[in-house]
Amino acid sequence: MFNRRVIAWQGKTAATVPTSSCWSYENEAVCKDMAAPPEVIGEQKPKPLQVSPGAVLTVTFSPPPTDESLTVAQWIGTKRIEQLLENGNQWKVPEQPGWYLFDVRGQWSQGDAGHAFVIEVRQNGQQRPL
């Protein structure tokens, strides 16, 4: 599978949790069917990436997914809302302070995979212990 995925903002990276994937190894396909990202995040409870309102996040995979296969979606309850990507791998987070759940998915020649993560949008200077 791919070696590295990074969701970043100003040098900080988000903790990600794997979601459903299918991957081919030689002549064998391995699929992992996971719960929806809200449930996976609820179980794993990764630390949120703290960002400013309207921050632009960048997602990179190494190796990169096939052209135009990368998607980013925000989850509101059970509703998945695909985000508009700029430059193929960047999107703007909400302006309103709060916690937000996202997932990223991509396709490679060997298969597809996804990762969920949480961000916390905070006003500059607003400090809260984690």
Side-chain angles (χ1 to χ4, degrees):
M1 210 188 269
F2 48 85
N3 297 339
R4 187 173 148 96
R5 78 232 158 264
V6 176
I7 292 97
W9 178 71
Q10 293 189 346
K12 298 185 288 186
T13 60
T16 62
V17 177
T19 59
S20 296
S21 65
C22 279
W23 212 257
S24 295
Y25 300 95
E26 298 174 6
N27 294 329
E28 185 180 341
V30 177
C31 292
K32 293 182 181 176
D33 191 19
M34 308 284 282
E39 295 171 36
V40 172
I41 290 293
E43 292 170 6
Q44 299 288 323
K45 297 178 178 39
K47 183 178 177 181
L49 173 63
Q50 296 175 350
V51 301
S52 294
V56 175
L57 299 186
T58 302
V59 60
T60 23
F61 282 92
S62 180
T66 58
D67 287 346
E68 298 182 23
S69 73
L70 183 68
T71 61
V72 175
Q74 179 182 350
W75 286 82
I76 300 174
T78 58
K79 187 174 180 183
R80 183 180 189 271
I81 303 165
E82 200 154 313
Q83 304 296 292
L84 176 65
L85 290 177
E86 298 174 12
N87 302 317
N89 69 339
Q90 297 178 321
W91 76 101
K92 188 175 178 182
V93 303
E95 296 284 342
Q96 287 294 110
W99 290 50
Y100 298 90
L101 167 60
F102 289 91
D103 78 294
V104 297
R105 294 201 65 78
Q107 289 189 317
W108 291 260
S109 59
Q110 301 93 340
D112 67 290
H115 292 271
F117 61 98
V118 178
I119 64 164
E120 181 184 10
V121 175
R122 299 187 342 171
Q123 294 293 348
N124 291 341
Q126 180 184 2
Q127 296 296 319
R128 229 175 39 189
L130 292 177

